[in-house]
Amino acid sequence: MNLFHWLRPRSKKTPLDEDQQRRLAALPACTALGEHPLRQQRWVVLDLETSGLNMSRDQVLSIGAVVIEDGAIDLGQQFECTIQRVDHQVSPAVLIHGLAPSAIAAGCEPVEALLDFMAFLGDSPVLAFHAPFDQHMLTRALKDSLGYRLLHPFLDVAEMAPMLCEQAHLRQAGLDDWTAHFGLHAEERHHASADALVTAELALILFSHARRQQIDSPARLEQALSQWRRRKQSPSF
């Protein structure tokens, strides 16, 4: 017997039942970003509320998402779910997201919540403000609960904004700064669904700026972001 076996963390993953396995197998594969016009792409705009900002330890507590399709926000396609966390402990983050322990205890079971969200997502690319954080947290949650590998493209609205609106001089700005700059109004901040909706409104404005700069396809937008990121990291930027 391995003497260090007891040092290994125990898996908290519960085996999926037959229906959950069927749902998992039926999830569509993601597709690469194409050269079709931006307005022809279905986008899922995502926001997560988490128990904290530690990407290795903290958990996803709620998921909010809205769809951009045919160049507009489709309010008929929205997703909102609080995830049940039986081992959740109150942290300072509750002062930000406002999710009480009772709401989390009464939330949707993690496997079902994540399967529901992935069915909603389909094969669409994802937009989020500070997307690397949401991408990492969602990737980890899916791996832990479903054994699923997330491969969907994520584009960061927090990078799109300064790249496409350099005249605004808001390079390190947050979501509040950009919504104020464009005169947008969030009904409720640090609430996953409300933040997803205002991020979608911001994204539509940015798509308009992108088209005026001849960046009119998902693939070209991704390429422009990659080039802007490299330029930003150069010493002369």
Side-chain angles (χ1 to χ4, degrees), residues 140-174:
R140 211 184 91 224
L142 289 165
K143 180 181 177 181
D144 291 347
S145 291
L146 303 178
Y148 179 91
R149 186 183 178 194
L150 182 67
L151 297 174
H152 291 62
F154 275 66
L155 297 187
D156 191 357
V157 178
E159 289 186 330
M160 288 168 53
M163 178 189 77
L164 296 168
C165 306
E166 290 185 292
Q167 72 283 359
H169 303 294
L170 293 173
R171 290 185 183 177
Q172 302 298 324

Side-chain angles (χ1 to χ4, degrees), residues 134-225:
D134 293 81
Q135 183 177 19
H136 182 95
M137 295 298 289
L138 181 60
T139 296
R140 211 184 91 224
L142 289 165
K143 180 181 177 181
D144 291 347
S145 291
L146 303 178
Y148 179 91
R149 186 183 178 194
L150 182 67
L151 297 174
H152 291 62
F154 275 66
L155 297 187
D156 191 357
V157 178
E159 289 186 330
M160 288 168 53
M163 178 189 77
L164 296 168
C165 306
E166 290 185 292
Q167 72 283 359
H169 303 294
L170 293 173
R171 290 185 183 177
Q172 302 298 324
L175 183 57
D176 289 331
D177 299 302
W178 284 108
T179 55
H181 176 75
F182 288 112
L184 302 174
H185 174 69
E187 290 295 328
E188 184 179 0
R189 282 288 281 114
H190 301 296
H191 181 280
S193 294
D195 283 356
L197 182 57
V198 76
T199 301
E201 292 172 352
L202 175 58
L204 286 176
I205 293 172
L206 296 174
F207 286 163
S208 178
H209 282 264
R211 285 190 290 270
R212 288 199 291 269
Q213 296 174 41
Q214 285 72 56
I215 305 172
D216 192 20
S217 76
R220 291 178 194 174
L221 181 57
E222 182 181 48
Q223 182 181 33
L225 281 168

